[in-house]
Each structure stands twice: as C-alpha cells, then as structure tokens.
C-alpha cells in the first residue's frame, strides 16, 4: 500500500510545482520540484522545468538540470533546444548557444514570430563572444553579504561624501516579508517574491558596511519602492513607486528620516511604465525612461527641463542614436555632463541589459554613437544601474552574474591601475647588489595584448623601478651584458589607485668573475654636449695612469657614452670624442697606444633612464674596462698607492660593471666627421649586438674596431706606418 501512496504524493508535489511554474513564480516552484527529484532523480519533466526555474537564481545548476533532462528524454520538450541555448549563453558557452538556437530555429515555420527573437539571441551570443574575448582591465567586486542577499538588490545610490549607500532590495527584511503575527510569506508580488523596499547602509571602511536599515515607513507604497538618486546636497531623494505601472516621486530629508513622497508632474509620469531617472546637478534637467511613447511598449529615454523655481516641461526624446526598438533605461550622466551612461537591451548587447556610454558631440549638438562598456562590466545577463562614485574613480552597478549571492547583486567597478615595483637585484651567494642588470617584465593585458616594462639597476646601489599594470603575473627576465641570468615569475596584486608601491628584491645566481672593471677604475663624467675633461676627471685619469704603469701587462678599453638629447648619429660621434679625450690624456701621461682601445656606444647603453637631469648626468660618461684575454683569469693589480709589494685583487663585488647595460642596438649605418678632420663610420649589424667602427685621420691614420658580446677586435695604423692590434674575448 505504501508504493501507491508515495506515487500519489509525488504527483501532488509535481502538480503544485507546475502550478507555480506556469504562474512564473519560479522561486516558489523550486522546492516542490526538488521534492519530486529527491524521490525520482531521473524525472525528466521535473528536471527540465526546475532547470528553467533555476535560471534566475543558479545558472550552473539550471544548465545541469536541463542537459540531464535532455539526456534522459531527448524530446522532453519541443522547446528544449531553445532553453539549452539560453543556459549555454548565460554560462558563457556562446558557440554551443548559437548551435542550439539555430537548431531550434530550423524547427519553426518561416512566418513564426519567434524567428525574430532567435535572430536577436544568436546576435547576442556573437556579440558576447567578441566582448568576452576582448576583456577590459577592470576589477569587479561584490559588495558582500551585508548588502547582498539571495534575493535581488539593485539601484545603488551613493551620498556625496561616499559614506552612505541607499539601495533597493527584495530580501527577507523588507516590510512586507511577514504577516501581522510575524510569520514569513506575507506581502508577496505576483512572481512570488517580496515587494521591493529602500534600505540605507553606512560605510565602516573601504571594504565593509554597517547592517542596512529599512527606509520603509512613509516611503512605502502599495507595491515596489526603489531608490533612484539623492540630489540637492543630499537633501532630496528621487525614488520610484509602482503607482500607475510605475512613477517617479521625490522626498525631502527631515532629520534622520524622509518626508512623504510627492509625485512628479504629468510631463514626466504617465499611465505607462516609467523606470529610472537622473536629475542634473543644477536641478534643471531630468533624463528618464518611459514606455509612454513606444508603440511596442518598450522603454525609451527622454528628457525634460524646467526654469528655476518652475516645474518640469514637456518631455523630448534623447534621440535615435540612443533609443532603440528594445528597452533603453537607467540614464546617468558624468559630473561634467559630457558622458551619458545607460542600460539597453538593444545596440550590440551581450544579452539582456548591458551598460553603454555615449559622448556629447558639441559640434553636432547631439549624443554620439553608444559604446558597449565591454566585459567584465557587462555579462551575458542583465547589467544595469551604473552609477559613478562621487569622485568618479569607480562605479557601482547591479548585475546577476556567476559567483553572486543569488539574483541581482550590487557590485563596484574599478579600473585596474598601475603599480610601482621597485627594489634591488642581489647575488644569491653573498646578498651583494648587482648594478647594470637589465630586468624585463613581460605580461599580458586582459585581452592578451603583450605588456613589457624594462629597467636597468643603477650604478652603485643596484636599484631598479618599473611602473607596471597591476593584477597579473609577470615573467621577469634578469640579464647582464646580454646574457640571461634567470627568469622568475612575479605576481602583482590588483591595485585600483595610482599610488601603490610594491617592494621586490630579486636574488639571482650571479657572480661577477669577468674582472672587466676594478674598484680603482672609476668612471669619469662630462657636461652636456661636451667632451672636455673636468678637473675631477683629470684626477681619476692620473690614478688610472699610475695603476697601468704599475701593471704593464694590463690593457684597457675606453668606452664613451652619452645621454639621449641628440640624434643617434651625433651621439656616436660625441661618445667617440669623449673616449678619445681620455685616450689622449693617458697617452700623454705615458701609457702606450698598444695598451688602449676606444669605442663609442653613443646613447645605446644607458646607465639610467634618460628621464631626469640626474640620470642624464649618469649617462654622460666614459668607462674603463680591463681587457682579459681568452682563457686567462682576471689579473691581480699592484696598487701603487699602497706601496711596493702590496697587491690588490680585482673586485668581484656586485658594484662592478655598473653601467654595462644591454639596451639592444639599432641596426644601421652612420657617418660623421670629427673637428680634427677624422672621418668615422659606424655599422650595427642586423642582430644588433655587433658594432663596427672605422676611422680615417687627416694624415692617413686608420683604425677598425669590432665589438661583439664582450669581444674586442681592434686594428690601428698610425701616420708613421706603425701598426697595433688587440684581439680579446672576455667571455
């Protein structure tokens, strides 16, 4: 006897579920469908209808139920392909959605009116696919469970000091949620959910809000009530009531509460539905959505003006650039009145309502073509009520999206900003800083466009600094003298302001064993556009001369550098002049020509970014690099200032090679003529790491120097016919 009773109970539950379902009271139907499925988990009809009901509350579960229903019973409904398309679209499966819509379309007769809707749905999926594959660098954040519930929250309104949030909710705390005796389920709308009420919440900090307080009382109408805008220094509130299909009211602040709402005049309100509105800061223009003028009963955006102290005048259409044959709603203007934000089911929406913006054309005296604000501001479902924060740095919106608390939730929209990453590069072996290291941060924007940021660690300190787009991981390639040391991954957290600074030191397996520069050989610097030796440079050159005389087996490369004030060709000549100035001084002090070679890098190997006078000074320099022959160790130098018999070992500290950066050289050729008549030809090969410099003097002196990857190959012929040749490999 128990089995028939169980079947009878199941039929009764299914009948109740279907009754609510047919009334589109989906929330009420779900518990009854679930009771049926608890007893009959493979009931295809219950699965199918429960899946449709879940579309407003749980998109992923909706998809699971409808797909399972079709697997159990292929033709569970003649409309199953339509609903599979709908749930696939909501779950970002756009290609599958299009296939289902096309399959359903093929079952309809040629004159079926549903074909128009299907064409639009297919276009929505195509639009959504484009937007989803070209996302914006935007951070969308749910306001959290203090504000949002499993029910619908929308219409955010923020006070001018950004400390008070007014919003609309259909949650369990609304006035109509209980009967007189306190039981749930009292005052319900036709869809089985509670009527909307207005709430306010005070901000605790950037992340948290106090428990919302209901503003029902005198604001409560017989149906839905919704917040729209606070204006006139937050002393008045524009609101919506469900009177006559939906009208606009305003109320004034009185102490901590609001006065009884007053209806706007007949130029604004009508017997048709009015949805949302915005009053300009001067209080003289109102933009609003209304179905009054639409033959299809859809919403269009209109505006009305008034004289100071007067009432609202006749409404005028905002124009066909904005209004479509579909719903256009929720107008909102930027503070300067030059940007209009609104929601629309038309244009190139991703599905449901999307947020669009339009710029005011002051020449044509009209609003420009609307632009979809893109993913992730917009989603395949409804996105509306876009409102800027008081300072315009972020925005609020209402949206039903995966990961929320139920139906529509209120979110904040922040554009992802740059963050400053700064720190040092240090040796893993002894934690000494390593100047002259190139760091390249490689990542991608949200739309997969490549990002690349570069800096070179500073002389002496080993500091670097880059300004990168936050909210992603970067591959950081660390290299020195053109050779990769290692690549590390570094995740940069999201920053929504322009003042975020992140300290990051990189420890790398690098030990300077090249011996290419010594503590005794300091760089010398030059004035802008000059190659005259400074007094302090003479002092340093005398020191270098003493060391070279005390160490006759040591040869050096004299390398000239410039800032980026002039052309590349000019700077190559200027760099050569600077290296020649040091060369000539050392030659006069008694250092043999055969022990020295000169080279110019112009502006191509900066020690610092050319972005300040101080950094440019660091780039106007000559470096002295000891040439170490292939297969030989770095020599030990006798330091003449330390006395006879005392030796100093070439330093391997990270302060060496401070300015030998590896800015890629630009391929090409250049010619120049020095003041003494010497002609200089420079050639940079295609791989940009080989530089060839030829000179020819007025007395037929010639030289050719080839530099590549640390190798120097130099030949010279003097006026008296004597020749010198230096060939080294410093790798």
């Amino acid at each position: 006897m128990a089995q028939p009773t169980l079947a009878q109970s199941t039929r009764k539950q299914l009948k109740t579920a279907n009754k609510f379902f047919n009334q589109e009271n989906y929330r009420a139907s779900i518990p009854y469908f679930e009771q049926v499925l608890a007893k009959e988990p493979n009931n295809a009809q219950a699965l199918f209808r429960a899946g449709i009901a879940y579309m407003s509350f749980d998109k992923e579960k909706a998809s699971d139920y409808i797909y399972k229903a079709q697997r159990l019973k292929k033709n569970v409904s003649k409309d199953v392909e339509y609903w599979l398309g709908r749930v696939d679209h909501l779950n970002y499966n756009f290609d599958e959605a299009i296939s289902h819509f096309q399959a359903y379309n093929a079952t309809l007769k040629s004159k079926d009116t549903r074909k128009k809707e299907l064409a639009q749905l297919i276009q929505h999926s195509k639009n959504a696919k484009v937007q989803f594959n070209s996302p914006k660098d935007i951070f969308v954040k749910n306001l959290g469970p203090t504000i949002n519930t499993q029910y619908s929250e929308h219409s955010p309104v923020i006070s001018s000091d950004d400390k008070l949030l007014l919003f609309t909710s259909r949650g369990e705390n609304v006035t109509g949620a209980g009967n007189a005796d306190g039981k749930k389920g009292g005052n319900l709308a036709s869809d089985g959910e509670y009527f909307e009420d207005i709430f306010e919440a005070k901000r605790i900090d950037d992340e948290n809000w106090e428990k919302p307080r209901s503003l029902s009382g005198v604001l409560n109408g017989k149906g839905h009530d919704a917040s729209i805008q606070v204006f006139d220094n937050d002393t008045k509130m524009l609101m919506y009531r469900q009177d006559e299909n939906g009208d606009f009211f305003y109320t004034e602040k009185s102490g901590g509460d609001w006065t009884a709402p007053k209806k706007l005049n007949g130029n604004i309100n009508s017997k048709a539905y009015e949805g949302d509105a915005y009053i300009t800061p001067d209080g003289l223009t109102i933009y609003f959505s209304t179905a009054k003028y639409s033959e299809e009963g859809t919403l269009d955006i209109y505006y009305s003006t008034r004289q100071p102290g007067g009432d609202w005048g006749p409404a005028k259409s905002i124009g066909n650039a904005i209004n479509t044959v579909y719903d256009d709603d929720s107008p909102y203007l930027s503070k300067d009145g030059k940007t209009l934000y609104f929601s629309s089911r038309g244009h190139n929406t991703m599905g449901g309502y999307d947020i669009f913006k339009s710029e005011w054309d002051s020449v044509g005296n009209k609003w420009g073509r609307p632009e979809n604000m893109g993913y992730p501001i917009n989603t395949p479902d409804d996105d509306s009520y876009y409102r800027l924060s008081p300072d315009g740095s972020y925005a609020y919106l209402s949206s039903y999206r995966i990961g929320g608390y139920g139906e529509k939730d209120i979110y904040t929209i922040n554009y992802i900003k740059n963050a400053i990453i700064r720190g040092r590069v240090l040796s893993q072996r002894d934690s000494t800083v390593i100047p002259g290291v190139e760091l390249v941060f490689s990542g991608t924007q949200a739309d997969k466009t490549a990002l690349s940021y570069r800096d070179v660690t500073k002389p002496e300190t080993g500091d670097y600094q880059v300004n990168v787009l936050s909210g992603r991981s970067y591959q950081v390639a660390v290299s020195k003298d053109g050779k990769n040391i290692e690549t590390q991954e570094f995740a940069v957290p999201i920053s929504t302001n322009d003042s975020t600074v992140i300290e990051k030191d990189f420890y790398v397996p690098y030990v300077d064993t090249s011996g290419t520069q010594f503590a005794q050989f300091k760089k010398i610097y030059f004035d802008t556009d000059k190659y005259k030796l400074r007094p302090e440079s003479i002092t340093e050159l005398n020191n270098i001369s003493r060391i070279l005389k005390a160490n006759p087996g040591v040869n050096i490369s004299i390398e000239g550098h410039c800032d980026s004030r002039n052309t590349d060709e000019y700077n190559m000549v200027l760099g050569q002049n600077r290296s020649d100035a040091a060369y000539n001084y050392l030659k006069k002090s008694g250092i043999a020509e055969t022990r020295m070679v000169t080279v110019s890098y112009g502006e191509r190997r900066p020690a610092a970014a050319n972005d300040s006078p101080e950094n440019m000074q660091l780039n106007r320099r000559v470096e002295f690099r000891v040439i170490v022959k292939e297969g030989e160790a770095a020599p030990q130098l006798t330091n003449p200032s330390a006395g006879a018999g005392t030796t100093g070992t070439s330093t391997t500290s990270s302060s060496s090679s401070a300015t030998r950066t590896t800015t890629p050289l630009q391929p090409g050729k250049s010619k120049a003529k020095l003041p003494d008549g010497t002609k200089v030809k420079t050639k940079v090969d295609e791989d940009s790491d080989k530089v060839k410099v030829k000179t020819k003097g007025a007395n037929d002196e010639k030289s050719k120097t080839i530099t590549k990857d640390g190798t120097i190959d130099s030949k010279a012929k003097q006026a008296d016919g004597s020749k010198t040749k230096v060939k080294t490999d410093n790798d």
Side-chain angles (χ1 to χ4, degrees):
M1 294 294 292
Q3 195 65 30
T5 302
L6 179 62
Q8 187 177 10
S9 172
T10 302
R11 285 196 300 270
K12 184 177 179 180
Q13 290 164 344
L14 186 58
K15 183 178 180 181
T16 303
N18 286 331
K19 182 186 75 171
F20 285 124
F21 181 89
N22 292 331
Q23 294 171 350
E24 298 185 3
N25 189 344
Y26 297 124
R27 188 182 291 276
S29 72
I30 287 175
Y32 294 97
F33 282 129
E34 289 292 1
Q35 289 173 31
V36 173
L37 292 170
K39 300 167 188 173
E40 299 178 10
N42 291 333
N43 187 316
Q45 186 67 25
L47 282 165
F48 176 69
R49 291 200 158 195
I52 295 173
Y54 270 120
M55 286 176 62
S56 297
F57 316 108
D58 190 330
K59 303 174 197 217
E60 292 168 296
K61 184 175 283 189
S63 178
D64 292 342
Y65 277 33
I66 297 175
Y67 264 99
K68 183 178 179 181
Q70 191 204 36
R71 287 195 299 271
L72 291 168
K73 188 177 181 181
K74 185 173 179 60
N75 297 317
V76 63
S77 166
K78 63 180 180 180
D79 300 327
V80 66
E81 289 291 340
Y82 169 84
W83 290 106
L84 287 170
R86 289 286 303 275
V87 293
D88 271 334
H89 179 83
L90 294 176
N91 284 282
Y92 296 83
N93 302 316
F94 304 121
D95 288 333
E96 292 87 342
I98 292 170
S99 296
H100 287 301
F101 289 140
Q102 289 173 337
Y104 184 63
N105 189 55
T107 67
L108 302 178
K109 294 181 179 179
S110 59
K111 294 184 179 180
D112 196 312
T113 56
R114 287 173 290 180
K115 281 184 170 289
K116 181 180 179 181
E117 180 195 358
L118 284 167
Q120 186 191 23
L121 291 172
I122 289 170
Q123 188 59 51
H124 287 173
S125 289
K126 291 179 178 179
N127 295 340
K129 185 177 178 181
V130 171
Q131 297 291 349
F132 182 71
N133 288 326
S134 306
K136 312 291 185 185
D137 275 295
I138 287 169
F139 178 47
V140 181
K141 185 177 181 181
N142 192 296
L143 252 59
T146 302
I147 302 298
N148 293 314
T149 70
Q150 62 177 308
Y151 300 92
S152 178
E153 279 75 39
H154 61 85
S155 301
V157 175
I158 194 74
S159 62
S160 56
D161 62 4
D162 207 8
K163 293 182 179 179
L164 187 68
L165 174 71
L166 286 81
F167 65 98
T168 303
S169 175
R170 300 190 75 175
E172 294 178 323
N173 293 319
V174 301
T175 304
N179 290 319
D181 43 355
K183 294 180 180 178
K184 294 288 182 182
N187 195 9
L188 298 178
S190 60
D191 61 1
E193 297 200 33
Y194 303 122
F195 285 109
E196 296 170 340
D197 270 1
I198 302 171
F199 290 78
E200 71 172 12
K202 294 179 180 178
R203 184 188 294 279
I204 298 174
D205 52 38
D206 288 345
E207 304 290 329
N208 299 289
W209 300 87
E210 291 182 359
K211 183 179 178 180
R213 177 176 78 97
S214 173
L215 296 183
S216 52
V218 297
L219 299 186
N220 241 26
K222 296 179 180 179
H224 296 301
D225 310 295
S227 49
I228 293 180
Q229 179 188 3
V230 287
F231 62 102
D232 204 1
N233 295 321
D234 295 352
T235 62
K236 297 176 183 176
M237 176 168 60
L238 187 65
M239 60 173 288
Y240 165 93
R241 269 187 177 179
Q242 204 176 355
D243 296 32
E244 294 188 285
N245 290 320
D247 282 341
F248 301 129
F249 291 71
Y250 77 95
T251 174
E252 299 186 56
K253 199 79 176 272
S254 177
D257 291 312
W258 298 90
T259 60
K262 298 176 183 178
K263 185 180 290 193
L264 273 59
N265 73 19
N267 286 324
I268 309 299
N269 290 317
S270 70
K271 292 182 179 180
Y273 173 60
E274 275 77 43
D276 199 12
Y278 173 77
I279 296 176
T280 56
D282 61 12
L284 300 181
T285 305
I286 183 171
Y287 293 83
F288 64 101
S289 58
T290 178
K292 177 180 178 179
Y293 305 98
S294 170
E295 293 181 3
E296 302 292 329
T298 56
L299 289 171
D300 287 324
I301 298 175
Y302 276 69
Y303 70 96
S304 170
T305 59
R306 68 183 184 91
Q307 296 299 317
D311 210 342
W312 298 111
K316 298 178 182 178
S317 172
I318 200 171
N320 291 333
I322 305 298
N323 290 326
T324 68
V325 296
Y326 303 100
D327 289 317
D328 304 289
D329 194 9
S330 197
Y332 180 84
L333 270 68
S334 59
K335 271 190 176 179
D336 61 10
K338 295 180 180 179
T339 305
L340 169 72
Y341 301 93
F342 66 101
S343 302
S344 179
R345 296 183 190 272
H347 302 291
N348 60 327
T349 174
M350 291 178 67
Y353 278 113
D354 272 8
I355 310 294
F356 292 83
K357 72 175 180 179
S358 172
E359 304 295 336
W360 177 251
D361 178 1
S362 57
V363 177
N365 200 36
K366 61 182 181 180
W367 290 105
R369 183 178 178 181
E371 173 190 345
N372 189 305
M373 294 192 70
Y375 177 82
I377 289 180
N378 291 317
T379 68
D381 212 312
D382 285 333
D383 308 283
S384 55
Y385 305 108
Y386 187 87
R387 301 290 186 261
L388 291 172
S389 65
D391 64 0
S393 64
Y394 67 99
Y396 294 84
L397 65 70
S398 178
S399 181
Y400 171 38
R401 56 184 70 202
I402 293 173
Y405 289 92
E407 295 182 58
K408 288 181 180 177
D409 282 351
I410 298 174
Y411 293 81
T412 53
I413 300 293
N414 285 270
Y415 283 86
I416 295 175
K417 302 294 183 65
N418 282 6
I420 295 172
I421 315 298
R422 67 188 184 192
R424 300 172 299 168
V425 178
L426 304 105
S427 169
Q428 285 180 352
R429 186 186 70 169
D430 54 14
S431 296
T432 54
V433 296
I434 314 172
V437 172
E438 181 182 47
L439 298 98
V440 178
F441 287 68
S442 300
T444 58
Q445 296 182 31
D447 63 2
K448 306 304 180 185
T449 301
L451 294 170
S452 183
Y453 306 93
R454 172 192 174 275
D455 196 20
V456 177
T457 54
K458 301 294 186 294
E460 314 305 335
T461 63
D463 292 342
Y464 76 92
Q465 179 172 304
V466 289
N467 197 8
V468 307
L469 187 62
S470 68
R472 67 213 66 238
S473 290
Y474 287 92
Q475 297 296 314
V476 185
V478 184
S479 62
K480 186 169 172 63
D481 295 330
K483 297 179 180 179
N484 181 264
I485 300 173
E486 72 171 8
T487 299
Q488 297 185 18
E489 184 171 292
F490 178 50
V492 180
I494 288 175
S495 169
T496 56
N497 59 65
D498 291 315
S499 58
T500 300
V501 177
I502 299 171
E503 303 285 346
K504 171 62 178 177
D505 290 341
F506 288 92
Y507 288 83
V508 296
Y510 176 81
V511 178
D512 186 358
T513 58
S514 64
T516 57
Q517 187 176 343
F518 299 89
Q520 295 93 334
F521 290 178
K522 296 180 181 178
K523 297 176 284 294
I524 62 175
Y525 296 94
F526 295 84
D527 294 335
T528 301
D529 204 29
K530 305 293 183 183
Y531 53 92
K532 181 180 178 180
L533 297 173
R534 294 174 175 175
E536 66 270 20
S537 299
I538 299 295
T539 301
E540 180 56 30
L541 287 168
N542 288 335
N543 178 54
I544 293 172
S545 177
R546 287 194 299 271
I547 295 172
L548 290 176
K549 288 176 181 177
N551 298 272
V554 172
N555 300 326
I556 63 170
S557 170
I558 304 171
E559 301 172 349
H561 301 268
C562 308
D563 61 33
S564 61
R565 291 177 191 269
N566 218 310
T567 64
D568 181 59
E569 292 79 11
Y570 182 91
N571 285 331
M572 288 298 292
V573 174
L574 181 58
Q576 187 63 49
N577 286 342
R578 287 171 174 169
S579 60
D580 286 345
Y583 172 92
N584 290 332
Y585 186 91
L586 291 172
K587 178 180 175 182
K588 287 179 182 178
S589 72
I591 305 303
E593 298 171 355
T594 56
R595 299 179 63 190
M596 301 180 290
V597 295
T598 63
V599 64
S600 172
Y601 289 108
E603 65 184 75
R604 295 170 175 176
R605 291 192 173 184
N610 287 284
D611 55 7
S612 69
E614 293 78 14
N615 282 349
M616 286 186 171
Q617 175 61 91
L618 294 175
N619 292 330
R620 298 192 299 270
R621 70 199 189 278
V622 162
E623 297 179 11
F624 302 91
R625 188 164 64 90
V626 173
I627 299 169
V628 182
K629 294 182 180 179
E630 184 176 4
E632 294 183 359
Q636 290 187 331
L637 297 184
T638 298
N639 189 339
S641 63
T646 302
T647 61
T649 305
S650 64
T651 179
T652 59
S653 76
S654 57
S655 63
S656 66
S657 299
T659 59
R660 297 214 29 93
T661 64
T662 55
T663 303
L665 305 179
Q666 299 299 315
K669 299 179 180 179
S670 64
K671 295 181 180 180
K673 188 173 182 179
L674 303 181
D676 64 358
T678 301
K679 296 178 181 179
V680 180
K681 294 182 179 180
T682 304
K683 179 182 178 183
V684 181
D685 282 359
E686 289 289 47
D687 56 6
S688 299
D689 62 355
K690 180 179 179 182
V691 180
K692 182 187 295 183
V693 180
K694 291 184 178 181
T695 67
K696 184 175 182 180
N699 298 317
D700 204 38
E701 308 96 339
K702 297 179 180 179
S703 72
K704 181 171 76 170
T705 302
I706 299 174
T707 305
K708 182 177 181 181
D709 289 342
T711 299
I712 296 178
D713 189 352
S714 180
K715 299 177 182 178
K717 178 183 177 183
Q718 306 303 321
D720 61 4
S722 62
K723 299 179 181 180
T724 58
K725 181 178 180 181
V726 176
K727 186 174 184 180
T728 68
D729 189 340
N730 294 326
D731 292 339

